Amino acid sequence: MSGTLRLERVSIALEGRMLIPPFSASIPPGQVVTLMGPSGSGKSTLLSFLGGTIAAAFRAAGRVWIGEREVTEELPERRRIGILFQDDLLFPHLSVGENLAFGLRPRVRGRTLRAARVEAALDEAGLAGFAARDPATLSGGQRARVALLRLLLAEPEALLLDEPFNKLDTVLRADFRRFVFGHAVAAGLPVLMVTHDRADAEAANGPVLELGTSADGAPEISAACVPPAIDAVRAAVPSGEIRSPSEKGAVG
Amino acid sequence: MTRATALEAMPRSAPVWGRSRSWLRYAPWVTVTLFLAPIAAGLLGTVLPAFGWLPAIGGRRFTLAPWSRLFSAPGIGDAIALTVGTGLLATVLSVLLVFGLCAQIHGRKPGRAGRGLMAPILAAPHAAMAIGVGFLIAPSGWVVRLLSPWLTGWHQPPDIATVQDPYGIALMLGLLVKEVPYLLLMTFTALGQVPAARQLEAAAMLGYGRTVAWLKLVLPQIYPQIRLPIYAVLAYALSVVDMSLILGPSNPPTLSVLALRWFTAPDIRMYFPAAAAALLQLAIVLASIMLWRAGEAAVAHLGRRWIARGVRHTSLAALTRIAAAAVAGLAGLGLASLIALGVWSFADGWPFPGFLPRHWSAHTWTRQFSMVVWPLETTLVVAVLASALALLLVLACLENEQRGGRATTSRALWLLYVPLLVPQIAFLFGAQVLLTVIHLDGSLLAVIWTHLLFVLPYVFLSLAEPWRALDTRYARTASCLGTSPRRVFLRIKLPLLLRPVLVAVAIGLAVSVDQYLPTLFAGAGRVVTLTTEAVTLASGGDRRITGVFALLQSLIPLAAYALAIGTPARYQFHRRQPRGEA
């Protein structure tokens, strides 16, 4: 069981220009929070900061917690934060099964047991018997499902979605959304999704934050919608913290 | 009708491109003939004498006598063991060090400083590097001088065989100094074709550290592209002559040195066992490559299991650190060796434990001037002509390929590697016999031709990628404006690709200056270059004079590289990635 994913006054700047203004959010297990924003607004950079792989050119501030564990300074591979990208990034030199086994935690020991776990995962995705296949022979939707399963087999404690539905066509997209959200909720993971597609946000059925531009041109984050059904969520931020052009210098 | 034959049946080229192809069409054939004929003939000229057939010196019937003569030679078993041992071990170590370093820095490309430090080592000829390494590790060399007498207590050079040691350790060290940077360069080139950064990031999301992820993900993907360079290193390490003469043991020596000794023996009948030894050398190289191939399969099998076990952390991390340190040490050794050549050539009075010469002077240089000029001129003429010829052939082949719209297949790539995989000793003797028949032996032309065999593959490998990567729309745009293919070639492609062309020429010069055995055989002892002189001087000559020749020999390729790299690039091949995604 994972804990709540908490972002504490997280902000990102590039060359002195604020991309993501300081904001805080807290996402309990099984909850999907969506951050909406246009392309190039720094959403993906925010996820790479949370995942620990942010490029050196960016200046990021703030703290990140999973439950009682602070991961801000942790190495990416120790954070146990999984990111699902737009590209499936299945490793081309490994079979579908080997890709999944690569993700499966090593404490599942023994070749038979590991193979069984991989086969069970494939079964779940409607891909039974695909273990020996070359990922290149799979359809886009199948590859996307394998990518998610590989991530889940690594037992992350939080899931970040970086526009993972973007490259799929409309029909597949709805399917894969259900697949992702279903698995994430079943695994009890806090999920943060960034997207520019409103349909993604609606399907997530959770609080939506919008990254936009305030009247004076500075970026701002506002709570676009918090479905009343989910009152446990305290995703949005006290208004005083949202707009802070004066803090630019301090952050950058 | 298969797709391939359907393509064959189609008109080969679009109207604009078709007109002036007449002579270009023959470029690949001319190249392959110039290139493979001497090797094929040379191999035949080695195989026949190895079984007793060489009518010119009275061998007129087939017999196994050369082989019994070979295997009854004193110390032949040790010579074979030494050859196989040093060649395999040096290659295995080179490969492990390169992979270890890459895993440690997880494939980050070296910065300007790193490339700048590697360039002199890559450019320096093997012979000069071997001489420099000898200057460092000899009993009276720089390393012992650095530690004496304060640490070692030695006031006289110690009586230890640190160079030409019976186990070939010095030889392997020399090989490592040269081959590790070469394989590193090949690995970095291959890395450009794998989206390694994204994959390492994806692996980090699954809990993998970068070192393990590099070994499990990136290495298996780039290995197929560095396989041929590795085989070339393996073949080279097993059959090298000049480094072995300078750093390897002399009694028994490695097999190729033994063959050379017999080929050049006063007793002409020694040709027969020499040919047998050269053929055995070829067999050893082929068997080693097959052994390596089997090793690859075994490692791949175990590697797949290792990957599937899902292990995130590994004690290999300590080893990769050691590998990185060892590579840094080898680079330092290589650079120090080149510096040592310079220091010795300007030394004037340098008693043993002193770390630096007591006096410096240019005496050696001025006194050797007359001795140096002639070989220097020959070296330059051969290198320039061989590189120019290679460049012409390669450009013609590439241009033909583009106008014909057909890419070189991987099988053709293997052809290109033939001279780098077949031991020189195995075909050069036979080639010399061929040259004698057409009355070219001992001529400058013969030397240039044999150099071409080794210069051409490197020029092709260096130029093919940038040439093919050039956006074809430049040429097409020019054609649409009514420019002839010849003008497109001269006015668009060549200027845009000036830097890669110059780099290819610099590599060609470096490869030519590197050649010892081809010069010796094709020149029949009459064509003297800096390289043949340096190797001759290295055995017992005055270190200061040897230093002059070896340093001069290294300066030619270095100057060529510096000029080529100093040329401004007109065309950017690898555009920088947008910020934040790098």
Side-chain angles (χ1 to χ4, degrees):
Chain A
M1 191 64 196
S2 30
T4 299
L5 175 64
R6 275 192 299 136
L7 279 57
E8 217 178 275
R9 296 189 54 76
V10 168
S11 68
I12 290 169
L14 176 63
E15 287 168 353
R17 189 170 60 92
M18 187 70 76
L19 294 176
I20 307 270
F23 82 108
S24 303
S26 124
I27 308 168
Q31 181 67 63
V32 184
V33 169
T34 306
L35 175 63
M36 295 265 317
S39 346
S41 58
K43 309 184 301 286
S44 297
T45 313
L46 171 68
L47 294 198
S48 64
F49 169 63
L50 302 181
T53 57
I54 192 165
F58 294 96
R59 289 276 166 272
R63 299 167 80 181
V64 185
W65 303 73
I66 299 177
E68 292 308 303
R69 184 166 66 93
E70 187 183 356
V71 298
T72 323
E73 301 295 328
E74 196 65 271
L75 287 170
E77 62 265 28
R78 300 244 179 90
R79 294 188 180 205
R80 312 202 75 161
I81 292 181
I83 301 188
L84 193 61
F85 298 99
Q86 203 176 92
D87 302 305
D88 51 67
L89 290 172
L90 295 184
F91 305 125
H93 63 302
L94 301 179
S95 69
V96 170
E98 283 167 342
N99 261 287
L100 291 175
F102 184 90
L104 184 60
R105 285 270 149 195
R107 60 178 172 70
V108 180
R109 281 178 181 277
R111 261 199 286 168
T112 357
L113 187 56
R114 291 181 69 82
R117 284 289 300 275
V118 165
E119 197 47 55
L122 283 171
D123 208 20
E124 231 173 282
L127 292 169
F130 274 57
R133 290 274 289 269
D134 179 343
T137 65
L138 266 55
S139 72
Q142 290 170 330
R143 292 170 61 98
R145 274 178 282 165
V146 174
L148 178 74
L149 288 170
R150 187 178 69 180
L151 203 51
L152 293 176
L153 285 176
E155 298 169 15
E157 294 182 352
L159 187 60
L160 310 179
L161 306 177
D162 191 354
E163 310 213 23
F165 314 115
N166 216 7
K167 282 203 172 161
L168 302 173
D169 65 47
T170 326
V171 181
L172 273 177
R173 203 180 288 185
D175 249 12
F176 187 51
R177 272 195 206 112
R178 269 195 299 279
F179 187 78
V180 171
F181 296 139
H183 274 87
V185 170
L189 294 174
V191 181
L192 176 61
M193 169 168 71
V194 302
T195 181
H196 63 261
D197 184 351
R198 194 154 296 280
D200 287 347
E202 280 159 16
N205 195 27
V208 178
L209 303 177
E210 261 201 70
L211 178 58
T213 313
S214 69
D216 56 358
E220 65 173 356
I221 289 178
S222 50
C225 135
V226 181
I230 310 149
D231 51 6
V233 183
R234 290 157 282 118
V237 256
S239 58
E241 285 190 321
I242 300 171
R243 253 165 306 167
S244 48
S246 60
E247 282 185 7
K248 263 188 213 168
V251 176
Chain B
M1 206 186 222
T2 65
R3 199 150 59 124
T5 51
L7 281 176
E8 298 278 316
M10 274 163 54
R12 273 282 158 67
S13 43
V16 189
W17 304 93
R19 272 178 241 125
S20 67
R21 278 192 65 225
S22 49
W23 61 269
L24 261 186
R25 179 172 45 197
Y26 302 111
W29 300 109
V30 172
T31 309
V32 165
T33 311
L34 268 179
F35 184 64
L36 292 183
I39 297 173
L43 281 175
L44 190 67
T46 305
V47 170
L48 294 179
F51 292 97
W53 184 267
L54 190 57
I57 57 167
R60 290 179 188 284
R61 65 190 178 87
F62 287 101
T63 158
L64 287 177
W67 294 92
S68 53
R69 179 77 184 74
L70 167 66
F71 286 114
S72 63
I76 184 69
D78 290 343
I80 294 172
L82 180 74
T83 304
V84 175
T86 52
L88 279 177
L89 197 56
T91 312
V92 169
L93 280 176
S94 302
V95 169
L96 288 181
L97 288 181
V98 166
F99 291 168
L101 172 77
C102 286
Q104 178 64 29
I105 62 170
H106 32 82
R108 261 183 322 212
K109 296 222 169 172
R112 269 185 90 83
R115 285 199 306 267
L117 285 177
M118 268 191 12
I121 304 176
L122 283 166
H126 282 81
M129 187 57 87
I131 290 168
V133 168
F135 282 7
L136 280 195
I137 64 172
S140 60
W142 236 5
V143 173
V144 173
R145 283 169 189 265
L146 178 65
L147 304 175
S148 300
W150 59 273
L151 184 68
T152 60
W154 291 330
H155 291 273
Q156 296 292 323
D159 189 16
I160 312 169
T162 49
V163 174
Q164 303 194 327
D165 60 291
Y167 301 105
I169 295 170
L171 171 60
M172 285 192 284
L173 190 64
L175 282 167
L176 283 173
V177 167
K178 274 295 287 178
E179 303 314 318
V180 164
Y182 170 70
L183 285 178
L184 260 182
L185 183 72
M186 293 295 114
T187 309
F188 286 136
T189 311
L191 274 173
Q193 315 199 356
V194 176
R198 302 275 347 246
Q199 293 187 352
L200 292 183
E201 195 179 329
M205 296 304 116
L206 301 171
Y208 283 85
R210 291 179 160 218
T211 300
V212 179
W214 195 88
L215 290 170
K216 287 188 172 188
L217 299 181
V218 183
L219 180 57
Q221 292 183 67
I222 59 167
Y223 188 81
Q225 289 167 65
I226 46 177
R227 173 180 285 136
L228 275 173
I230 288 176
Y231 291 177
V233 167
L234 178 62
Y236 187 89
L238 284 164
S239 56
V240 63
V241 170
D242 49 5
M243 283 196 132
S244 192
L245 280 171
I246 297 163
L247 293 174
S250 54
N251 202 21
T254 54
L255 193 59
S256 52
V257 171
L258 195 64
L260 174 65
R261 216 180 261 175
W262 287 342
F263 273 133
T264 53
D267 181 359
I268 207 161
R269 281 170 304 173
M270 290 307 281
Y271 272 0
F272 295 108
L279 207 55
L280 178 61
Q281 178 71 57
L282 175 64
I284 287 175
V285 167
L286 293 181
S288 300
I289 290 177
M290 280 189 273
L291 181 69
W292 192 279
R293 194 87 182 82
E296 280 173 12
V299 170
H301 180 74
L302 293 176
R304 277 183 178 274
R305 289 240 206 122
W306 183 48
I307 291 171
R309 274 213 307 277
V311 186
R312 261 60 165 179
H313 299 284
T314 162
S315 44
L316 280 175
L319 290 178
T320 60
R321 266 196 292 278
I322 293 173
V327 173
L330 285 173
L333 195 65
L335 292 173
S337 300
L338 295 179
I339 295 169
L341 295 178
V343 171
W344 249 280
S345 75
F346 285 104
D348 189 12
W350 193 357
F352 169 63
F355 181 63
L356 285 175
R358 193 171 283 165
H359 303 289
W360 300 84
S361 85
H363 279 170
T364 321
W365 286 86
T366 49
R367 253 177 315 196
Q368 291 301 315
F369 184 74
S370 57
M371 303 288 290
V372 161
V373 171
W374 187 236
L376 174 64
E377 194 188 319
T378 311
T379 309
L380 285 174
V381 167
V382 170
V384 167
L385 290 179
S387 308
L389 198 54
L391 181 68
L392 271 178
L393 289 169
V394 167
L395 284 178
C397 286
L398 289 171
E399 185 67 4
N400 176 61
E401 173 188 305
Q402 270 188 357
R403 292 195 201 171
R406 282 189 305 173
T408 312
T409 58
S410 61
R411 217 175 303 152
L413 201 63
W414 272 92
L415 275 187
L416 213 54
Y417 265 90
V418 165
L420 311 183
L421 297 178
V422 175
Q424 295 185 341
I425 193 91
F427 68 87
L428 281 175
F429 171 70
Q432 195 194 2
V433 174
L434 173 80
L435 289 168
T436 316
V437 170
I438 55 176
H439 302 293
L440 270 180
D441 62 314
S443 69
L444 214 51
L445 186 62
V447 175
I448 293 168
W449 190 3
T450 44
H451 279 213
L452 183 68
L453 303 184
F454 305 97
V455 171
L456 188 85
Y458 284 106
V459 171
F460 189 93
L461 292 173
S462 134
L463 197 52
E465 204 196 311
W467 197 270
R468 290 171 184 155
L470 181 71
D471 196 330
T472 52
R473 284 174 302 179
Y474 288 117
R476 262 189 266 157
T477 308
S479 302
C480 290
L481 301 172
T483 318
S484 70
R486 180 202 299 249
R487 268 180 72 84
V488 169
F489 175 78
L490 290 175
R491 302 295 298 275
I492 310 284
K493 292 187 189 171
L494 269 188
L496 279 174
L497 293 162
L498 183 63
R499 185 145 94 160
V501 165
L502 290 179
V503 168
V505 171
I507 289 172
L509 290 172
V511 172
S512 171
V513 173
D514 199 86
Q515 300 307 318
Y516 169 69
L517 208 56
T519 318
L520 200 64
F521 271 99
R526 273 169 272 161
V527 178
V528 174
T529 62
L530 289 176
T531 313
T532 57
E533 280 297 90
V535 175
T536 310
L537 285 166
S539 59
D542 185 330
R543 268 196 201 155
R544 289 169 298 179
I545 302 176
T546 314
V548 167
F549 278 85
L551 185 66
L552 211 52
Q553 194 205 2
S554 309
L555 286 179
I556 296 173
L558 257 177
Y561 272 121
L563 282 176
I565 292 169
T567 315
R570 297 266 187 97
Y571 186 76
Q572 208 69 35
F573 292 99
H574 305 289
R575 281 186 209 90
R576 274 182 58 187
Q577 288 185 322
R579 296 192 79 108
E581 283 177 31

